[in-house]
Amino acid sequence: MWVKPQEVLLANALWVTEQASPYFLLQRRRGHGSSRGLSSLLVGTLDSVFDTKPPPYRILHQTPNSEVFQMIACSLTHAEIEENWDWLQRSIMDTLSTFDTEDDVTEFVCCKIHSLIANQTPVVEDEETKSFKATAFKFRSLFNFPAEEKLVSYYSCSYWKGKMPRQGWMYLTVQHLCFYAYILGKETRLVIRWIDVTALDKTNSLLFPDSIRVATREKEHYFSMFLHKTETFTLMEQLANLAMKQLMDEKSGYNEDKELLKKLSINVPRKDSFLKRDLDARAHSEAYRLKFHLPNSEKLDGTSDATLWTPYNKHHVWGTLYLSQNFVCFDSRVANLVTLVIPLREVNLVEKVESQNIGSDLAMLITNKNASSHLFSNLKDREFVMRKISELLSRIKVNLTTSISSADSNLESSHHDEANNWNPQPALMTLFEFPNPTPPTIESDKESNWEKHFYIYGKGITMYRTVELAKIVLTGIPNGLRRELWPIFSGAMTDMSMAEPGLYRSLVNQAFSKSSTANDEIERDLHRSLPEHPAFQSEIGICALRRVLRAYACRNPQIGYCQAMNIVASVLLLFCTEEESFWLLAAVCEQMLPDYYNSRVVGALVDQGVLDDLTRTHLPELHAKLDDLGMIRMISLSWFLTIFLSVMHYESAVLVVDCFFYDGAKVIFQLALAILENNQDALLTCKDEGEAMQLLTNYLEGVTNDEISDNLISLHRDNEVIVKSISIQNLLYESYSKYGSLTASGIERMRLRHRLRVVQSLEDSVSRNVVRSVASFGFFTQDELQDLLALVREEQLCLRGSQPARIANIDPSTPHYEMFKVDFELFQSLFTGLSPWGHCSHAETLAARLFRLMDRDEDGFLNFRELVGALGMTSSADLTQRLKLLYTLHLPPLLSPSEIESPQQESDAEVAAEATDFFDSFEQQASCLGYDFMNSATSPDSAEGPSWRKMSVSSLHSLVLPSNPSRLHSKAMPCMAQPYFISLWKTLYDMFHAEPEDEETYHSIASIGTLLLQLGDVNKKFLGSRQASVDSLQSPSLKVETPSSPRFVSPPNLVLGEEDDNGNSSVNMESSESSGSNYALALPASPSTDEDEKTPNNNTRKKSDSPPQWSITLDQFLASALTGAPIVSFFERRINLIDTIDRFRKRRYVRLQSWPPEPTAASSPERKV
């Protein structure tokens, strides 16, 4: 391509001139192309290490007497640079010879190149974007990735291969970690999928100093010598975390946020990659939501340094102002000094403040609807911040208008709903007395203290949150204020205010209108929820709890219901209304304790690993003891899932819930460490796991609440008095004073490392169960099945863009192999890449028929068991079974007449008749064996064509993979007509066409084909000679035919005699029940015609003058095919699936680039006969 002329002082340094003219040079970069000299190797190494590799071809302009060169064109390909060179020689060389001076020549060339560039399509982009796009192109070229695999970022580093480091470049994408190095002619390439990463951490050992370790199931990889190690590791953590969430939840796949391109911003450094910018924005938004307990949908829009005027102490506090779609937040630079959350829906006015009396410049005043105001000053970009807030406020007003109109319609419809006559309950504490109530004097004193706090620091969601608030929360929230403060601290108030009015009632009605597994599980646990409280000994409390749990299961079916949710919800109902409890439960499950309440409790398992690390850090001696006992990751599961509500008396545990809603999940870890430390001496003397567990159980049951009088607390278990261990107030104070340094962000970083371990462990467990459930086929070994399953998951994630099965939400009643399904497009890809049958030109049609055969429920997907059956029967089954499958794939309705190349076009009626004859013939022969495939009353002659067609395909499936092989054998398979046999033999020829050419092979195939054609002619003659006899014998039997019997029943007095040279049996007359059965199998059934006649009993009978048809049986096909050594050798060959999958992976991205977007009509499995 043409480039803006640039001066080049040394034209021949590192370049080789390939063509020259008086005014131009065409040069090639050393190290590119076939040259492998020492200089070329050195140049290639330098370009790779320093990432300075320019386009390998260029054109320079020069004049004979000048030492300065001008680069006017460069290219990545030789063809393009040759095109530019030819244009120069053809278009301007003659003109240049007419100029008088060399300066005029240079000026003309430069002007001409500038005009060529100006005529090209303009692309406005900065130098960083150009550089990154060039690197992205180089990356895809090096690793042969498709354009969909977008580069996020790249870093210079060393990869330790053996004991030697290889200096090169690490490339990070959403799906892969890649590394490339070129050292003295030797290339090093590495590709690791993020879903395969089991550990990711920083190391600093003697062998691998200051490096990053990436571990997979097979190997550990070390990378070092980073220029930006922290940035690199943070991005790697984020990408690995995305992959783990994608494995856990099918809705968590990565999608670019295109709104970033339209976002109004200032003073934001431009990133090389849009993906990098997007991922950074996601990380900042996650930290922002975690800090202020905001909904998961909230996205950080921007930040600005500012000071906040705090009226309670009359100071300007420096901190950071945060803006997002629905909130303005502030956090002080000094940790926990002051925090502020202002919902934009509460904002009434935003204005400048120019008064000099405030003691600060560039001020902005935000006034709320409740008349409170907040003053921000020292805003460097005040005008921009106010403009941004105005933009966000305009969106809020539009959204509020839309939600109000939709809410009115929902409310109107709910008034007409008379079928669901129920009323939500208020806080149950207003209906039922507490068994051990707090003395009124203590309660009134606490309420008084809180009112004083509200007077000084404000009330509601816009209050100033300071250290004083943390202290007063630590003493406990009064019962009457929990309904107000829990939703504020947890963020549930925001969710509730942003939701449509009437949503809770709608969810309850919807949940009660249908049955589900979650509803059944909820019913089992209802009476186990806080049974000691009178509220849950009454139907009022039980019904309220049922509605809350069912409504949440309906709102979030991915979680549904998990044990321990009932304990949490029951305590919430004591202090809050039904709807408030519902939103509080949603905040706990989705924001505060994410991934805790799925069927695999992934979040709780991850946090057990975090507690393990914290115990190792803070209590190393105790950690060693608990590790020896094997209980370090067992003691805390119930603690975490129920927020200590199931292991303490709820009068004490409710103070833990107060702190939990205020400070988040860090409270659970602080409290767990304090409990372990208080019991450290006793735990060190325990001899086994049971003793240690009992010790901790007794300690937690003895935790009391000092606010409740001793004589009102009954600490008894099985008539045994429990010794009081500690008050909850003292325990919480110790946890904050000793472990208050824990932060939410630090815990989140630790969670990532353990999330890798937990999710991969669950993946391994699921994989083992899936492999175990399909191993009974015997087609593949355990290792081969593991590799195939890994390939299916990999293809779903990386190639198709679809999501894997939800590891976190496995229905225990679902077979394991149902978790992984492939559609036809993916099956076709696997069939053509892994099966020996997939190499022929008919592979797509074979794949379509095989897919239709194995898809028994006709849902358009094959589960993993069906996939293994399909691939196993074509690549590793025994010889007879493979030939039997090949025969089956060429029977109707799998092979339709429209797919058969025939000079005579068959009508739709003939097609239907062909399929009907197949079904009748099959039904006759299977019934003679005593095997009943057809339990339905649907007949082929009825109007419901698709149902009997489905039955026929299902019956073929049963014959190919029978569930009870002892009752079936090859003679139950229908006969094959001549057009279908010709199609089969063409397929067989095509299969061997993909093999190395061998004259003997083709001669053998031709001989066997000729033999089978002759056998079909013999069968046709045999049927013609016996037609009259068959009709006469059939008539008496039709008189006793039942409705379920086939319409073609063999006579009871025929037995088969000796077989002739062609494999056909002679017929003898005897009275035998079994002889009739064998007769039906020996005679190939001729297709029925429209000229069949009806008996008085409405049964169909063949006319004696109906022409017999050419046909062969499966036995004849097998017997003939087994005489050909090349055919036997081909169908006996068993593939090594592991090696085949390795080759398939290497071809993956080449195949993707050329893969058609839609399957052809001929290969679509949806085509019906």
Side-chain angles (χ1 to χ4, degrees):
M1 64 179 178
W2 304 110
V3 297
K4 183 179 179 180
Q6 303 172 9
E7 284 192 2
V8 177
L9 297 178
L10 299 175
N12 295 318
L14 309 181
W15 292 84
V16 178
T17 300
E18 291 195 337
Q19 296 187 50
S21 69
Y23 295 105
F24 301 102
L25 296 176
L26 190 156
Q27 294 185 329
R28 172 179 52 82
R29 180 79 168 178
R30 293 184 185 273
H32 184 83
S34 58
S35 176
R36 285 293 179 266
L38 179 59
S39 61
S40 297
L41 294 177
L42 289 175
V43 172
T45 301
L46 290 174
D47 285 341
S48 176
V49 170
F50 294 105
D51 196 36
T52 58
K53 194 171 186 178
Y57 299 100
R58 71 180 183 182
I59 295 176
L60 302 181
H61 163 65
Q62 66 162 353
T63 55
N65 297 321
S66 174
E67 296 182 357
V68 178
F69 297 82
Q70 301 275 351
M71 184 173 75
I72 59 174
C74 64
S75 176
L76 294 170
T77 64
H78 190 269
E80 184 181 9
I81 205 69
E82 280 283 354
E83 182 179 347
N84 292 341
W85 177 264
D86 291 341
W87 185 88
L88 289 173
Q89 303 302 313
R90 183 177 63 254
S91 301
I92 67 174
M93 280 298 294
D94 294 338
T95 305
L96 295 181
S97 62
T98 63
F99 288 99
D100 297 330
T101 65
E102 293 183 353
D103 290 340
D104 292 341
V105 171
T106 301
E107 183 179 358
F108 175 80
V109 170
C110 292
C111 290
K112 192 67 175 178
I113 298 301
H114 279 295
S115 67
L116 290 173
I117 295 173
N119 290 331
Q120 293 176 350
T121 303
V123 178
V124 179
E125 55 183 15
D126 57 16
E127 291 300 322
E128 288 186 340
T129 304
K130 288 182 179 179
S131 173
F132 186 83
K133 286 190 174 182
T135 303
F137 179 82
K138 172 185 173 183
F139 158 72
R140 288 193 293 270
S141 301
L142 288 173
F143 295 96
N144 208 12
F145 277 105
E148 291 77 14
E149 189 74 14
K150 296 182 179 179
L151 182 64
V152 176
S153 191
Y154 61 101
Y155 302 93
S156 174
C157 67
S158 291
Y159 169 60
W160 290 82
K161 189 172 183 180
K163 296 183 179 180
M164 292 295 296
R166 306 293 177 93
Q167 185 66 33
W169 290 86
M170 175 189 288
Y171 300 92
L172 303 179
T173 73
V174 175
Q175 301 289 354
H176 296 90
L177 180 157
C178 306
F179 177 84
Y180 176 80
Y182 180 86
I183 306 294
L184 298 178
K186 292 186 177 180
E187 293 183 321
T188 301
R189 282 187 177 88
L190 176 69
V191 178
I192 301 173
R193 297 188 306 272
W194 289 115
I195 60 172
D196 293 333
V197 175
T198 58
L200 178 65
D201 49 40
K202 297 179 182 178
T203 61
N204 192 11
S205 61
L206 182 62
L207 185 59
F208 304 110
D210 196 25
S211 60
I212 295 176
R213 181 178 71 97
V214 180
T216 63
R217 292 177 178 86
E218 295 82 19
K219 190 178 179 181
E220 291 185 347
H221 307 273
Y222 290 87
F223 302 89
S224 61
M225 298 179 66
F226 288 93
L227 296 177
H228 308 282
K229 181 180 177 182
T230 301
E231 177 188 342
T232 307
F233 184 73
T234 301
L235 180 57
M236 293 171 70
E237 279 188 322
Q238 191 176 8
L239 293 171
N241 194 33
L242 281 174
M244 293 306 103
K245 288 184 177 181
Q246 195 175 6
L247 287 175
M248 291 163 51
D249 182 0
E250 68 176 7
K251 291 187 177 180
S252 62
Y254 176 77
N255 293 311
E256 299 175 12
D257 183 9
K258 296 299 183 182
E259 292 182 3
L260 280 176
L261 298 174
K262 306 175 183 177
K263 192 174 78 169
L264 186 64
S265 60
I266 189 173
N267 296 331
V268 178
R270 182 176 294 276
K271 302 292 193 306
D272 285 348
S273 161
F274 172 73
L275 287 179
K276 182 67 166 62
R277 182 183 176 189
D278 184 24
L279 289 169
D280 286 347
R282 288 169 182 258
H284 294 153
S285 295
E286 287 178 8
Y288 168 66
R289 293 191 296 264
L290 192 64
K291 182 186 291 292
F292 297 103
H293 294 176
L294 300 179
N296 290 332
S297 59
E298 202 67 17
K299 297 177 184 178
L300 180 63
D301 202 282
T303 62
S304 178
D305 290 338
T307 59
L308 171 66
W309 171 253
T310 52
Y312 53 86
N313 62 358
K314 296 180 173 56
H315 282 92
H316 289 280
V317 180
W318 274 101
T320 304
L321 182 70
Y322 298 84
L323 299 180
S324 61
Q325 304 106 305
N326 300 290
F327 295 92
V328 175
C329 301
F330 179 86
D331 185 41
S332 59
R333 289 181 182 176
V334 179
N336 303 322
L337 184 61
V338 60
T339 302
L340 182 65
V341 177
I342 307 174
L344 288 176
R345 66 179 182 276
E346 300 292 334
V347 174
N348 191 42
L349 180 64
V350 180
E351 57 185 336
K352 297 179 185 178
V353 179
E354 302 292 355
S355 174
Q356 298 298 322
N357 297 327
I358 64 174
S360 184
D361 298 328
L362 300 173
M364 175 183 68
L365 184 67
I366 297 179
T367 305
N368 301 324
K369 294 178 181 178
N370 61 2
S372 65
S373 60
H374 305 280
L375 180 64
F376 300 93
S377 53
N378 292 306
L379 284 163
K380 183 179 179 180
D381 302 305
R382 181 178 62 174
E383 299 296 331
F384 182 81
V385 170
M386 294 187 65
R387 179 183 171 191
K388 194 69 180 177
I389 294 177
S390 299
E391 176 190 329
L392 295 172
L393 281 172
S394 64
R395 296 179 187 174
I396 287 290
K397 292 178 181 178
V398 172
N399 293 338
L400 284 176
T401 304
T402 305
S403 63
I404 288 173
S405 61
S406 62
D408 291 340
S409 61
N410 288 343
L411 197 59
E412 182 178 350
S413 63
S414 66
H415 286 319
H416 293 85
D417 188 7
E418 300 178 357
N420 300 283
N421 187 17
W422 61 273
N423 293 313
Q425 296 296 333
L428 296 180
M429 60 173 284
T430 63
L431 304 178
F432 300 90
E433 292 185 359
F434 284 97
N436 302 313
T438 305
T441 56
I442 296 178
E443 194 72 12
S444 62
D445 289 344
K446 289 173 64 176
E447 290 178 356
S448 177
N449 291 336
W450 275 91
E451 289 300 328
K452 292 178 182 177
H453 183 88
F454 291 150
Y455 178 78
I456 298 172
Y457 298 97
K459 190 175 183 179
I461 194 171
T462 59
M463 72 174 75
Y464 294 94
R465 308 183 189 190
T466 65
V467 176
E468 296 303 318
L469 179 60
K471 290 179 180 178
I472 198 171
V473 168
L474 194 57
T475 63
I477 300 175
N479 292 338
L481 290 178
R482 287 193 171 107
R483 176 186 174 185
E484 176 185 349
L485 294 177
W486 278 2
I488 291 175
F489 293 155
S490 65
M493 174 178 284
T494 301
D495 291 332
M496 189 162 46
S497 62
M498 295 173 65
E500 296 179 1
L503 176 61
Y504 173 67
R505 175 176 287 276
S506 174
L507 288 172
V508 171
N509 294 339
Q510 185 179 348
F512 276 81
S513 65
K514 60 183 180 182
S515 59
S516 66
T517 305
N519 289 347
D520 298 338
E521 294 174 350
I522 290 170
E523 289 299 318
R524 289 197 296 267
D525 288 345
L526 283 176
H527 295 279
R528 306 174 190 170
S529 309
L530 219 63
E532 65 270 23
H533 197 284
F536 300 100
Q537 299 169 4
S538 164
E539 276 302 307
I540 294 177
I542 293 295
C543 291
L545 180 60
R546 178 186 291 112
R547 289 193 290 269
V548 169
L549 293 175
R550 286 195 177 188
Y552 183 75
C554 183
R555 163 189 160 89
N556 192 343
Q558 287 190 311
I559 291 180
Y561 171 75
C562 174
Q563 283 188 340
M565 288 172 64
N566 60 316
I567 304 293
V568 176
S570 60
V571 173
L572 299 177
L573 283 167
L574 293 178
F575 303 98
C576 304
T577 66
E578 260 189 58
E579 186 169 1
E580 291 165 347
S581 300
F582 167 79
W583 289 109
L584 279 168
L585 182 64
V588 170
C589 296
E590 297 168 13
Q591 300 173 33
M592 307 193 75
L593 296 176
D595 305 322
Y596 261 56
Y597 298 101
N598 49 54
S599 61
R600 293 296 186 94
V601 292
V602 175
L605 295 176
V606 170
D607 280 358
Q608 283 184 315
V610 174
L611 180 62
D612 186 16
D613 283 354
L614 292 172
T615 307
R616 182 186 294 108
T617 302
H618 296 279
L619 304 169
E621 187 178 0
L622 178 60
H623 178 273
K625 177 65 176 180
L626 295 178
D627 198 20
D628 290 340
L629 294 177
M631 58 175 291
I632 190 63
R633 292 181 179 170
M634 296 172 50
I635 58 177
S636 57
L637 187 59
S638 60
W639 301 1
F640 287 14
L641 284 172
T642 63
I643 321 172
F644 290 92
L645 289 168
S646 65
V647 293
M648 294 183 189
H649 290 276
Y650 74 89
E651 298 96 337
S652 302
V654 74
L655 271 72
V656 179
V657 179
D658 291 341
C659 297
F660 170 75
F661 280 135
Y662 178 74
D663 257 338
K666 61 171 271 186
V667 173
I668 301 178
F669 295 100
Q670 292 175 180
L671 196 60
L673 289 172
I675 292 170
L676 292 176
E677 183 181 9
N678 290 345
N679 292 274
Q680 180 170 349
D681 295 338
L683 287 171
L684 290 174
T685 62
C686 291
K687 298 179 181 179
D688 55 44
E689 173 190 341
E691 183 182 355
M693 292 292 292
Q694 188 61 49
L695 173 68
L696 292 173
T697 300
N698 293 340
Y699 179 85
L700 291 170
E701 288 180 346
V703 176
T704 61
N705 189 336
D706 282 346
E707 296 174 351
I708 301 177
S709 302
D710 292 350
N711 58 353
L712 295 178
I713 299 179
S714 56
L715 293 178
H716 294 279
R717 182 184 69 239
D718 299 332
N719 298 324
E720 180 181 348
V721 177
I722 298 175
V723 179
K724 298 177 183 178
S725 53
I726 192 174
S727 70
I728 188 62
Q729 288 85 357
N730 291 337
L731 184 59
L732 285 171
Y733 179 79
E734 289 180 8
S735 69
Y736 270 89
S737 60
K738 294 179 179 179
Y739 304 106
S741 59
L742 297 179
T743 62
S745 57
I747 290 172
E748 194 61 33
R749 285 194 298 271
M750 299 175 71
R751 279 174 170 170
L752 168 61
R753 184 157 56 89
H754 290 283
R755 188 177 290 118
L756 289 173
R757 175 187 57 80
V758 170
V759 173
Q760 294 292 14
S761 176
L762 291 176
E763 278 282 300
D764 292 341
S765 175
V766 168
S767 297
R768 286 193 296 270
N769 290 332
V770 171
V771 169
R772 191 181 302 116
S773 65
V774 301
S776 58
F777 272 137
F779 292 139
F780 302 113
T781 65
Q782 295 273 348
D783 292 339
E784 288 176 326
L785 290 173
Q786 288 279 7
D787 236 26
L788 179 60
L789 180 60
L791 179 64
V792 169
R793 287 167 40 203
E794 173 186 331
E795 291 279 319
Q796 289 175 331
L797 282 168
C798 303
L799 308 185
R800 300 288 321 292
S802 59
Q803 304 297 331
R806 288 173 290 177
I807 300 302
N809 301 285
I810 301 171
D811 185 353
S813 62
T814 303
H816 293 290
Y817 52 78
E818 287 286 349
M819 295 169 48
F820 299 93
K821 292 189 174 185
V822 299
D823 62 4
F824 173 70
E825 184 180 350
L826 181 53
F827 173 76
Q828 185 181 23
S829 172
L830 295 173
F831 178 79
T832 55
L834 302 180
S835 172
W837 295 14
H839 303 154
C840 61
S841 60
H842 291 76
E844 291 187 6
T845 55
L846 279 178
R849 291 180 221 153
L850 183 57
F851 186 92
R852 196 179 306 136
L853 175 67
M854 301 304 296
D855 184 18
R856 300 196 68 175
D857 52 3
E858 290 193 332
D859 62 349
F861 292 90
L862 298 186
N863 60 43
F864 188 69
R865 181 180 178 85
E866 293 167 339
L867 174 66
V868 170
L871 294 178
M873 285 190 297
T874 61
S875 58
S876 59
D878 61 65
L879 169 64
T880 304
Q881 195 167 9
R882 291 198 218 185
L883 290 171
K884 184 178 179 181
L885 175 64
L886 182 64
Y887 180 92
T888 304
L889 293 179
H890 292 80
L891 291 174
L894 295 176
L895 175 61
S896 63
S898 61
E899 294 181 81
I900 301 174
E901 297 179 4
S902 174
Q904 181 180 357
Q905 185 67 30
E906 298 187 54
S907 65
D908 291 341
E910 290 172 327
V911 171
E914 186 83 36
T916 302
D917 291 337
F918 150 78
F919 185 77
D920 292 341
S921 172
F922 168 75
E923 186 182 24
Q924 300 162 17
Q925 298 171 25
S927 298
C928 292
L929 287 173
Y931 192 92
D932 182 18
F933 292 114
M934 316 305 173
N935 295 322
S936 170
T938 306
S939 72
D941 299 325
S942 69
E944 301 180 10
S947 78
W948 66 258
R949 185 185 302 115
K950 177 179 178 181
M951 292 170 60
S952 63
V953 174
S954 177
S955 301
L956 280 180
H957 184 282
S958 301
L959 285 173
V960 175
L961 280 176
S963 57
N964 189 2
S966 61
R967 297 179 62 185
L968 288 169
H969 52 76
S970 60
K971 291 185 178 180
M973 191 68 71
C975 300
M976 179 177 287
Q978 189 174 36
Y980 297 92
F981 168 74
I982 293 174
S983 178
L984 182 154
W985 217 246
K986 286 181 179 179
T987 301
L988 189 63
Y989 262 107
D990 192 43
M991 286 183 177
F992 281 90
H993 184 70
E995 296 287 308
E997 293 187 6
D998 184 359
E999 183 177 349
E1000 181 182 354
T1001 299
Y1002 290 116
H1003 177 74
S1004 175
I1005 295 175
S1007 301
I1008 296 172
T1010 303
L1011 175 60
L1012 285 170
L1013 287 171
Q1014 294 172 351
L1015 286 175
D1017 290 335
V1018 171
N1019 291 339
K1020 179 179 179 180
K1021 295 177 182 179
F1022 184 81
L1023 281 172
S1025 63
R1026 299 297 181 183
Q1027 187 67 55
S1029 175
V1030 170
D1031 285 342
S1032 62
L1033 291 171
Q1034 196 173 13
S1035 299
S1037 65
L1038 291 173
K1039 297 178 182 180
V1040 294
E1041 187 177 26
T1042 63
S1044 60
S1045 301
R1047 60 183 175 88
F1048 176 54
V1049 180
S1050 54
N1053 57 343
L1054 291 178
V1055 295
L1056 296 178
E1058 298 296 330
E1059 293 185 347
D1060 59 16
D1061 295 338
N1062 292 323
N1064 297 310
S1065 300
S1066 59
V1067 183
N1068 298 322
M1069 307 293 291
E1070 289 185 18
S1071 178
S1072 170
E1073 182 180 353
S1074 61
S1075 64
S1077 173
N1078 286 335
Y1079 179 80
L1081 294 173
L1083 296 179
S1086 59
S1088 61
T1089 66
D1090 294 335
E1091 299 177 355
D1092 293 349
E1093 60 183 17
K1094 297 287 183 178
T1095 67
N1097 292 331
N1098 240 2
N1099 293 310
T1100 304
R1101 185 179 65 188
K1102 301 279 184 184
K1103 281 189 174 182
S1104 59
D1105 59 350
S1106 61
Q1109 300 293 321
W1110 185 102
S1111 62
I1112 60 169
T1113 64
L1114 174 61
D1115 281 344
Q1116 292 171 336
F1117 170 72
L1118 292 177
S1120 301
L1122 292 177
T1123 61
I1127 295 179
V1128 171
S1129 176
F1130 176 80
F1131 284 96
E1132 277 186 337
R1133 189 184 311 158
R1134 188 186 189 282
I1135 67 166
N1136 185 320
L1137 189 61
I1138 295 178
D1139 294 342
T1140 307
I1141 289 176
D1142 288 340
R1143 292 192 295 270
F1144 180 85
R1145 285 193 173 109
K1146 292 176 182 178
R1147 297 193 305 266
R1148 175 192 299 127
Y1149 299 110
V1150 176
R1151 174 172 46 82
L1152 267 182
Q1153 288 174 324
S1154 60
W1155 191 254
E1158 297 292 340
T1160 60
S1163 61
S1164 173
E1166 301 300 326
R1167 294 178 66 255
K1168 302 294 182 183
V1169 177

